[in-house]
Amino acid sequence: MPSHSSNPGGASRVRRRALLGTVALAVLVALAGLAAYLTRDGRNPSESPGPPTSSPTASTPVAPPSETPAPHGHPHALPVPPKTHDPIAYGKAAAAALWSYDTRAYTQPELQAALREWLTTEAKYADRASVDKAVPSSVLWKEMAANGQFATAKVHEGHFPNAFTRALQEDPGAITQAYVYAVTVSGKQSIAWNGSPEGGAESRVTTLAVQCRPDHPCALVGVMPAVSP
């Protein structure tokens, strides 16, 4: 899905974007930056991190908003975040939600508001701008709606990036400050519109930051500006 909407951000938003960007810069340096951010206040972790319910290479089944393109005349519902403590499962569901839309079923503001519900309620970590950019702009949405355009997503796989796994192994306590995990998801986005029920499809891959505290279901932190393998 194209990224069209943008909002000017303050200093805090710039810091959050810097956090997301460090994960995608390059291998070890990237995740070393993330670990530094998570422990930036210099506080000692009060507990050791519990192992995620998925292994770094697991492909946990999830129910994304749309597995296959729906027939014309059957709009899709707005995406609702799952209740899970598994960062990989949540990342896969979030990627599917970000890659899906249906101009026949709801408005651009409604989709944007629904996706914001996936974000963590901890304002210092939530990068709302990166999620908003996953939604077509209001102008483009109007043009797409005139053609009844919609997109669906099928997730193939999700995993922790290699650099994240290594950084966590080297400093397991780093995660206990914010419990933010990097999750890379691959899949396919299919697009269709009036008069073209088959439409077209393209492969998609993205790296997300997902927060999964032990005492709270996972939530989205943001979309990283580049993919971390």
Side-chain angles (χ1 to χ4, degrees):
M1 180 187 303
S3 299
H4 294 280
S5 60
S6 60
N7 295 311
S12 61
R13 179 172 296 169
V14 171
R15 285 194 294 271
R16 288 195 295 271
R17 293 295 291 167
L19 161 64
L20 297 175
T22 56
V23 183
L25 286 179
V27 199
L28 292 176
V29 175
L31 274 301
L34 176 60
Y37 179 89
L38 299 181
T39 55
R40 68 195 183 286
D41 294 330
R43 289 173 285 184
N44 293 326
S46 59
E47 55 183 324
S48 59
T53 54
S54 295
S55 66
T57 57
S59 182
T60 306
V62 295
S66 304
E67 287 291 342
T68 56
H72 183 72
H74 293 77
H76 302 110
L78 287 165
V80 178
K83 299 295 184 181
T84 178
H85 291 271
D86 183 340
I88 292 179
Y90 194 91
K92 292 169 67 176
L98 292 167
W99 296 338
S100 305
Y101 61 86
D102 193 339
T103 64
R104 306 165 302 169
Y106 40 74
T107 66
Q108 188 259 13
E110 287 174 333
L111 175 58
Q112 205 164 55
L115 290 174
R116 288 174 182 173
E117 291 298 315
W118 290 65
L119 286 166
T120 174
T121 56
E122 298 181 41
K124 65 179 179 180
Y125 297 123
D127 183 13
R128 193 174 77 175
S130 68
V131 173
D132 287 349
K133 286 183 177 180
V135 180
S137 69
S138 57
V139 173
L140 179 58
W141 185 276
K142 184 177 181 180
E143 296 175 358
M144 292 161 50
N147 295 318
Q149 185 168 317
F150 61 97
T152 58
K154 185 172 184 178
V155 171
H156 298 318
E157 186 267 350
H159 66 276
F160 297 135
N162 295 331
F164 178 82
T165 301
R166 289 196 297 270
L168 195 59
Q169 290 172 343
E170 292 172 3
D171 186 6
I175 199 75
T176 60
Q177 178 62 41
Y179 285 93
V180 174
Y181 299 83
V183 180
T184 295
V185 182
S186 62
K188 182 177 70 174
Q189 182 190 55
S190 299
I191 300 176
W193 52 89
N194 294 339
S196 181
E198 298 301 323
E202 65 176 5
S203 296
R204 299 297 300 269
V205 60
T206 188
T207 299
L208 307 173
V210 176
Q211 184 182 54
C212 295
R213 292 194 181 277
D215 59 346
H216 197 277
C218 295
L220 185 63
V221 170
V223 182
M224 295 178 184
V227 175
S228 184

